[in-house]
Amino acid sequence: MLTAPVRQLGESERRAVERLLDLDPYASAQVAERIAARGLAWWRAEGRVLGYGSRRQLEAVCWLGGNLTPVLAGPQAVAAFADLLAGEERLCSSIVGRADAVLELWDRLADTWGPARDVRPNQPLLVTDALPDVAVDPQVRRVRTGELDRLFPAAVAMYTEEVGVSPLAEDGGRGYRRRVTDMIRSGRAYARFVDGRVVFKAELAVVTRRTAQVQGVWVAPEWRGRGIATGAMAAVVRDALTRVAPTVSLYVNDFNRPARRVYERCGFRPVGTLATVLF
């Protein structure tokens, strides 16, 4: 299979990269947010953007930082990215993106980068641009700065349950605490409190001019099955659509049927499938 050379992109190619990201605004949202905030200079962006295609016609990109994310990568682009990456030490904690590209990339990298801690091959990518038809939970609101210590234990519980490892393991949780603090300060963390305890939480973990991507959705175990999630998510969606972005997006594990039913009730529709490889 003949492939075009892969090269590291710089700030001079930012417009071409942004045009490419706009072709897949939901799957590439995390990459788009980082580039919008810090550009393509590796020393500012905390990651590298690799490009596939000629200088006149950029065909695909691949973000390489804490995560590895291929964007619009067909078979030839995946092969080219894999050829380069197989010669490098793995530093990323996950590979995430459109399922076809991620799974093919992992198939090519597994021998040198493996083993993976978990592979999630089927994660529906969902989007809505309409205010929910269901009743909004009026008790769900943005978390205030002084409520960090109340939110943080719930955030740790959510992360541990979802990812399978504790965010406190690597550095005692300092980095994760900074991230939760940033979410609160930027008005992107939501919760419902009962007697001072978090019973529901979610964040707008990624925000671009095209979408606000929800992550970290969690209901306290003792509150599950009581039907609070639909109204709570509806409150998050309503606020995000009226205040933040023209669409709200998220991705969910295919086996999480209760969550998928909640998102369907809130008006989300499928626009593709993602996959995640966790290390």
Side-chain angles (χ1 to χ4, degrees):
M1 180 182 293
L2 296 176
T3 60
V6 172
R7 65 189 188 280
Q8 183 168 326
L9 304 179
E11 192 64 24
S12 64
E13 295 178 278
R14 181 167 177 169
R15 289 187 179 181
V17 172
E18 290 174 339
R19 284 195 296 268
L20 197 70
L21 297 176
D22 270 346
L23 297 176
D24 196 6
Y26 309 121
S28 69
Q30 191 172 62
V31 178
E33 181 187 53
R34 287 168 173 165
I35 290 175
R38 299 194 175 188
L40 274 77
W42 64 267
W43 51 272
R44 292 185 56 206
E46 299 179 348
R48 292 184 288 155
V49 179
L50 306 176
Y52 172 83
S54 68
R55 294 190 178 274
R56 292 187 175 183
Q57 184 61 50
L58 185 65
E59 298 179 35
V61 298
C62 190
W63 167 269
L64 179 57
N67 302 319
L68 175 64
T69 303
V71 178
L72 293 176
Q76 289 186 323
V78 167
F81 289 139
D83 285 347
L84 175 67
L85 296 169
E88 300 187 5
E89 179 185 3
R90 178 188 62 79
L91 299 177
C92 61
S93 61
S94 67
I95 307 173
V96 59
R98 292 279 180 180
D100 52 355
V102 166
L103 297 176
E104 175 64 20
L105 195 56
W106 176 235
D107 187 59
R108 292 174 175 272
L109 291 173
D111 288 344
T112 54
W113 278 19
R117 185 167 51 82
D118 193 12
V119 178
R120 300 177 182 180
N122 186 359
Q123 298 176 303
L125 176 62
L126 310 175
V127 174
T128 184
D129 57 4
L131 295 176
D133 289 333
V134 297
V136 168
D137 185 342
Q139 297 184 65
V140 173
R141 59 172 174 79
R142 279 174 272 162
V143 180
R144 304 182 185 111
T145 303
E147 295 172 322
L148 171 63
D149 288 339
R150 292 181 177 180
L151 180 64
F152 190 67
V156 170
M158 176 281 304
Y159 187 101
T160 304
E161 183 177 342
E162 172 64 20
V163 180
V165 296
S166 171
L168 308 181
E170 186 170 339
D171 61 356
R174 291 186 296 275
Y176 190 62
R177 189 177 181 89
R178 284 194 299 271
R179 175 166 175 76
V180 175
T181 300
D182 289 344
M183 289 290 103
I184 295 173
R185 287 176 176 170
S186 60
R188 290 159 57 169
Y190 300 84
R192 176 180 172 182
F193 296 89
V194 174
D195 296 328
R197 293 184 63 250
V198 174
V199 300
F200 167 87
K201 65 166 285 297
E203 294 95 40
L204 304 181
V206 177
V207 174
T208 72
R209 61 186 180 83
R210 301 290 297 276
T211 195
Q213 194 164 95
V214 179
Q215 296 180 16
V217 180
W218 181 83
V219 175
E222 65 272 21
W223 282 78
R224 294 172 190 175
R226 300 192 191 186
I228 72 166
T230 299
M233 270 301 301
V236 173
V237 171
R238 177 176 289 275
D239 184 72
L241 287 177
T242 56
R243 185 177 63 88
V244 181
T247 68
V248 178
S249 58
L250 56 84
Y251 58 100
V252 58
N253 293 315
D254 64 320
F255 54 79
N256 192 346
R257 298 198 175 276
R260 293 177 66 179
R261 287 194 292 269
V262 167
Y263 302 144
E264 184 177 0
R265 294 187 195 110
C266 290
F268 285 89
R269 65 185 186 277
V271 291
T273 303
L274 303 190
T276 301
V277 179
L278 295 169
F279 299 106

